[in-house]
Amino acid sequence: MRLPSRFITFTLVIMLLAVVFSSAAGQNPGSITVKKLDTSAYPLISATFTALDPSGGFVKDLKTGELWLSENSAAVTSYTLEMEQVGVRFFVAINEGPTLDNRFSGVMRIDRIKTALFNWVAAQPAPALDEFHLVVNEGALQFNPLEPSSWYAALDHYQPDLKTATPGMASLSAAVDNALNNSLQSPKATALLFITPLPTEVQLAAMQEIIARAKSNNLHIFIWLIGPQDYGGSDTAVQLERIARDTGGQFIIFSGAEELPAIADCSIHSNTCITSAIKPPTTSAESTASVSYTHLTLPTNYSV
């Protein structure tokens, strides 16, 4: 039976206990964003939401007792949790420029980067739950974002003329725009790896508005700054590192000599959907009912 909305008000009170969302002085306590409330199976009620921890990472492996649900202001303690993988949307934005063409021990930096991406693609199941998108200065490359063999072919055919390329923020802006547009189509979490030479002051200023859009939509930004380790400690590097940290990502400097991080650490392997189901006590039509069936969408946490 579905009760008319005028007879019942559904109050969703979902909290993680202090052990998960502890808030030290000055620390972001984390957040929960409710996406959808479904009353079509009343007395079971479903709500889909995402939860972020204080560092901006997605919460995973929730256990009973770590969610707080209420009905008529009384805590509901009888519920169960189930997990389901739904995938992640991963964007790589390459800011093409001559720096990426430089060599270390005879190997171009861009080839080392492509090898890291090839290794990640090779480990993906087919068909994949995840999506992969590659964006360069000229825009997004066209291939099947759900098929790893298509990802591999696109990377293999990607042979840019980096020596004549002009760096800018076009690839980052296009990647963020595409990520935000795609997020409206499905609830997958999104991570973005930005591979870039050292930005100029003008480019860094333009980057602030792009990152603000990404951050307001919970996009995790990972930044690989390509160039000598001497960049470390520069004002620009410090700002880039802060951008990555503030969006729940990571920052590295890659000169060509270092081991690159595993792409899996940037891509947030997969989404985890956690379902909580209970049968609410009998209530009058005028009462305030809490969530009795909670559908929690959380991507698996990545290494930080």
Side-chain angles (χ1 to χ4, degrees):
M1 179 181 69
R2 183 174 184 180
L3 295 183
S5 58
R6 65 186 179 89
F7 286 134
I8 191 164
T9 301
F10 297 104
T11 303
L12 174 61
V13 186
I14 307 173
M15 299 174 62
L16 293 184
L17 298 182
V19 66
V20 178
F21 277 130
S22 59
S23 178
Q27 184 183 18
N28 178 2
S31 64
I32 293 179
T33 303
V34 179
K35 302 291 187 180
K36 182 176 62 175
L37 191 65
D38 182 7
T39 63
S40 60
Y42 186 84
L44 295 180
I45 305 167
S46 68
T48 301
F49 60 93
T50 58
L52 300 179
D53 64 21
S55 67
F58 287 89
V59 179
K60 65 172 183 176
D61 298 336
L62 280 173
K63 299 176 178 62
T64 55
E66 293 177 338
L67 285 175
W68 194 80
L69 312 178
S70 74
E71 180 172 18
N72 290 336
S73 300
V76 175
T77 58
S78 177
Y79 60 90
T80 59
L81 297 176
E82 298 176 0
M83 290 189 179
E84 174 191 358
Q85 293 185 343
V86 298
V88 65
R89 187 173 289 113
F90 180 46
F91 283 79
V92 174
I94 300 178
N95 182 11
E96 297 164 327
T99 298
L100 276 70
D101 193 65
N102 290 353
R103 298 172 181 266
F104 180 85
S105 297
V107 181
M108 290 191 300
R109 288 165 171 167
I110 188 63
D111 287 338
R112 287 282 311 278
I113 292 167
K114 287 176 64 175
T115 296
L117 289 167
F118 278 133
N119 291 340
W120 171 71
V121 170
Q124 301 303 305
L129 288 175
D130 298 340
E131 293 181 23
F132 173 61
H133 302 262
L134 181 60
V135 185
V136 298
N137 291 12
E138 292 76 23
L141 301 187
Q142 300 302 309
F143 55 88
N144 187 341
L146 293 172
E147 179 51 60
S149 63
S150 183
W151 308 352
Y152 196 99
L155 286 168
D156 192 40
H157 288 104
Y158 175 57
Q159 302 290 338
D161 183 4
L162 295 172
K163 290 182 179 179
T164 61
T166 302
M169 291 295 119
S171 62
L172 178 62
S173 181
V176 170
D177 286 344
N178 279 311
L180 297 184
N181 289 336
N182 281 318
S183 68
L184 299 176
Q185 301 173 21
S186 69
K188 291 182 180 181
T190 302
L192 192 157
L193 171 60
F194 183 44
I195 300 169
T196 181
L198 189 71
T200 66
E201 289 186 8
V202 172
Q203 292 166 355
L204 193 61
M207 188 177 178
Q208 302 304 316
E209 184 275 331
I210 301 170
I211 295 301
R213 287 189 285 124
K215 186 176 180 180
S216 65
N217 287 276
N218 296 322
L219 268 63
H220 296 258
I221 309 295
F222 295 76
I223 300 176
W224 290 0
L225 176 60
I226 310 303
Q229 289 295 328
D230 291 348
Y231 286 167
S234 67
D235 290 342
T236 300
V238 169
Q239 290 187 60
L240 293 175
E241 184 173 12
R242 183 182 302 116
I243 286 170
R245 184 181 64 248
D246 288 349
T247 60
Q250 287 178 316
F251 168 83
I252 67 162
I253 298 174
F254 178 63
S255 69
E258 303 79 15
E259 286 295 323
L260 286 167
I263 296 294
D265 291 344
C266 304
S267 64
I268 314 179
H269 280 291
S270 59
N271 269 10
T272 300
C273 295
I274 300 178
T275 301
S276 168
I278 62 172
K279 182 174 177 60
T282 302
T283 59
S284 66
E286 291 80 13
S287 70
T288 299
S290 71
V291 167
S292 59
Y293 185 86
T294 302
H295 184 212
L296 174 59
T297 304
L298 299 172
T300 301
N301 220 348
Y302 48 84
S303 302
V304 292

